[in-house]
Amino acid sequence: MIKKTNNLMDKIVSLCKRRGFIFPGSEIYGGLTGFWDYGPLGVEFKRNIKNEWWKSVVQDRDDVVGCDAAIIMNPEVWKASGHVDSLTDPLVECKTCHIRIRADQGDDIKDHEAGHAKKKEKVSWTEPKKFNLLTEVFLGATEPKQKAYLRGEITQGVIVNFSNTVSSSRVKIPFGIAQIGKAFRNEITPGNFTFRSREFEQMELEYFIQPDEKEGESVFKYWKEERLRWYVSLGIRREHLRFHEHTPAERAHYARFAEDIEYDSPFGWKEFEGIHHRGDWDLSRHKVSYKDPDTGKEYTPWIIETSGGVDRAALFFLIDAYSEDGDRMVLRLNPKLAPYKAAVFPLLANKPELVKSARKIYEDLRKHLMVAWDDRGNIGKRYYSQDEIGTPYCITVDFESLEGNDVTVRDRDTAKQERVKIAELREYIVKRVYGEQ
Ligand code: GAP
């Protein structure tokens, strides 16, 4: 394990670019602050995170169904939800250099003042102003164009489909609706790589319950523990996570109560995921209620929400998995999250019989798993290259394979090798990556 410093962030950013996880958005035009693109490995990694989340929150449960709502909604939604008035951050401007900064980000303010102090300049700030984070878009071909918003949280798409979901499926309270999708915020100070971006992806669960204080407390407790357990089950070290209860000043306008799961990142303890008790805020603002099919009682349900960032999860999983072993860099990702589950090599690229056999193994495996092919350089270099991107198993076809119908499988974490029969290879890898099926 390596010490967490900003040096680690530099290594992560450089690895992401070099190996095709994450690139600066629109880079050939000089980039655009707060926007990032995921490359060949990043897209696989992010998809694996989302699949694992969906499996744990929807597929493995009886009480949660899914939704995929439009990004652009009728702008009335955002007025009713309170985001037009309240999705704001406090903004101050430095009177010396006119840079604008979030007034509630103490470290940014201190860093800025320190920069001026070095030049023997004094800093004074304007009074904080509320800055709305919703991103406006304009629709239609004729003037005046219709003003709408890119969604500032994915939540509202679920809320406005509450009644449609109840009437079209067999759900009964308590139940949840899960969604994964892009959200957009015109952040004043995007930064720390993808940590605070202007376009990002969220994975959210809105869990609907009866309006009851005790029930609210116990469902909130259940989901915050469950979400923390999920991160730990996929490899984040427990000691790198903690809960942070929001003070009334920190709470979003819709929250009766909120706690964050925070991560001990190289740039301090930072919000990973928010767990919010939204009470009846949303459904009552949209004038939506629920009729209990058994009792006929009508009421406005309460919502307990878990809201995680996919990009933050990707970044923190990468940071937590990064390790150096001498000059060997190993990304100890949980195999379920690794972009490739295995890599297949012929021992020598200039021996057609080895290439043919390795190619057959690769083509059989890739019907079931994401698998890499590599026949460049020597075996040692190929191992290093796969370790660096977190591939848990490397499979080498050598001359013995042609006689014995077996291959060498090398484990990323232990660097130990074992011989495995080609006929049993798929089951061997699947079991180790996903557990008993
Ligand atoms: N629906 C509730 C909601 O949106 P939030 O705490 O504002 O709550 C939830 O956001 C999660 O979305 C955060 O914990 C974080 O993981 C992610 N997130 C929020 N803003 C982000 C940004 N600017 N860049 C990347 N991820 C962000």
Side-chain angles (χ1 to χ4, degrees):
M1 194 174 125
I2 58 169
K3 205 164 164 270
K4 296 220 258 174
T5 60
N6 279 330
N7 187 20
L8 170 58
M9 271 318 278
D10 294 343
K11 290 179 180 178
I12 296 281
V13 173
S14 144
L15 172 76
C16 284
K17 172 93 193 291
R18 191 162 40 80
R19 297 304 309 268
F21 279 93
I22 305 173
F23 308 128
S26 344
E27 192 182 17
I28 60 169
Y29 286 95
L32 184 64
T33 306
F35 296 89
W36 299 92
D37 297 338
Y38 287 76
L41 295 187
V43 73
E44 297 299 335
F45 179 45
K46 204 151 86 122
R47 201 157 51 95
N48 293 339
I49 294 172
K50 291 189 277 185
N51 286 347
E52 287 303 316
W53 184 86
W54 197 263
K55 185 168 183 308
S56 107
V57 173
V58 183
Q59 190 184 330
D60 290 347
R61 302 183 63 97
D62 285 334
D63 57 348
V64 179
V65 291
C67 172
D68 185 9
I71 286 177
I72 298 179
M73 306 170 79
N74 187 315
E76 292 301 319
V77 170
W78 300 106
K79 286 187 197 150
S81 70
H83 286 77
V84 169
D85 290 329
S86 304
L87 184 66
T88 56
D89 277 336
L91 175 149
V92 285
E93 188 174 315
C94 168
K95 288 186 183 166
T96 310
C97 68
H98 303 289
I99 200 162
R100 292 170 166 198
I101 293 189
R102 266 176 68 169
D104 58 347
Q105 300 287 315
D107 288 348
D108 291 356
I109 298 270
K110 269 194 223 142
D111 287 350
H112 188 79
E113 289 178 348
H116 280 297
K118 268 192 201 148
K119 294 187 246 162
K120 309 249 179 296
E121 290 167 353
K122 269 197 116 187
V123 182
S124 63
W125 299 96
T126 57
E127 282 302 306
K129 265 198 302 199
K130 277 188 178 179
F131 177 81
N132 191 281
L133 303 186
L134 284 176
T135 314
E136 294 173 2
V137 285
F138 294 89
L139 307 173
T142 48
E143 298 291 345
K145 291 188 179 173
Q146 186 190 1
K147 182 167 113 173
Y149 303 99
L150 297 179
R151 59 187 177 191
E153 60 167 4
I154 63 171
T155 325
Q156 297 305 316
V158 163
I159 313 275
V160 300
N161 281 299
F162 173 80
S163 301
N164 280 338
T165 308
V166 169
S167 64
S168 63
S169 51
R170 293 171 51 196
V171 289
K172 274 203 251 174
I173 277 184
F175 76 94
I177 307 181
Q179 181 174 219
I180 299 177
K182 293 265 184 165
F184 302 81
R185 291 183 196 168
N186 192 6
E187 296 283 358
I188 301 166
T189 43
N192 286 322
F193 195 25
T194 57
F195 174 78
R196 188 177 301 113
S197 312
R198 289 181 167 143
E199 174 178 336
F200 53 95
E201 219 168 349
Q202 294 184 309
M203 33 194 190
E204 285 196 346
L205 169 70
E206 308 304 318
Y207 201 82
F208 302 92
I209 59 169
Q210 289 193 32
D212 177 274
E213 291 296 345
K214 268 218 159 112
E215 168 106 349
E217 260 171 51
S218 83
V219 173
F220 187 96
K221 185 163 182 298
Y222 168 80
W223 277 109
K224 76 172 211 190
E225 299 292 349
E226 176 57 18
R227 293 301 305 137
L228 185 121
R229 187 200 61 75
W230 184 79
Y231 287 114
V232 173
S233 77
L234 289 172
I236 301 273
R237 273 158 280 191
R238 176 63 187 85
E239 64 272 25
H240 292 168
L241 296 172
R242 72 178 187 193
F243 290 113
H244 164 72
E245 187 180 321
H246 282 207
T247 62
E250 286 173 309
R251 267 178 227 153
H253 64 277
Y254 48 72
R256 281 167 61 115
F257 183 77
E259 278 186 57
D260 288 338
I261 297 174
E262 290 188 334
Y263 177 70
D264 185 10
S265 82
F267 40 94
W269 282 96
K270 293 288 170 190
E271 176 183 343
F272 203 154
E273 166 154 349
I275 325 292
H276 307 123
H277 186 327
R278 297 177 75 120
D280 69 357
W281 170 269
D282 303 274
L283 289 173
S284 66
R285 298 283 289 206
H286 294 302
K287 300 187 173 46
V288 174
S289 64
Y290 173 79
K291 192 167 179 180
D292 187 306
D294 300 323
T295 63
K297 205 175 117 200
E298 194 163 346
Y299 59 88
T300 308
W302 284 1
I303 296 174
I304 305 298
E305 169 187 74
T306 70
S307 178
V310 181
D311 311 85
R312 270 186 205 179
L315 177 60
F316 292 158
F317 277 126
L318 284 175
I319 293 172
D320 229 64
Y322 186 95
S323 69
E324 288 172 359
D325 183 356
D327 59 359
R328 187 168 82 105
M329 203 224 94
V330 189
L331 208 50
R332 297 184 193 277
L333 289 173
N334 181 299
K336 289 179 186 157
L337 302 183
Y340 294 120
K341 308 308 176 202
V344 183
F345 316 144
L347 179 67
L348 300 169
N350 58 358
K351 296 287 173 199
E353 60 278 36
L354 296 185
V355 174
K356 191 172 162 212
S357 170
R359 201 67 213 171
K360 173 144 189 355
I361 291 171
Y362 167 67
E363 281 163 18
D364 286 346
L365 279 179
R366 77 175 179 190
K367 289 183 194 139
H368 309 278
L369 298 161
M370 276 303 293
V371 185
W373 169 262
D374 196 352
D375 58 6
R376 298 159 308 166
N378 65 39
I379 285 288
K381 279 199 182 132
R382 294 183 213 162
Y383 285 155
Y384 275 31
S385 166
Q386 295 299 327
D387 286 345
E388 200 179 45
I389 60 171
T391 307
Y393 300 101
C394 289
I395 298 163
T396 304
V397 175
D398 52 23
F399 291 105
E400 279 171 54
S401 307
L402 304 178
E403 305 274 301
N405 287 319
D406 56 7
V407 288
T408 300
V409 179
R410 178 221 184 232
D411 181 293
R412 174 197 71 196
D413 295 335
T414 60
K416 287 211 174 104
Q417 306 191 358
E418 64 177 306
R419 296 297 285 187
V420 177
K421 288 282 173 210
I422 294 172
E424 290 158 16
L425 196 53
R426 168 157 62 109
E427 202 194 332
Y428 176 97
I429 302 286
V430 168
K431 239 191 215 164
R432 277 161 181 76
V433 172
Y434 294 107
E436 295 292 338
Q437 295 292 295

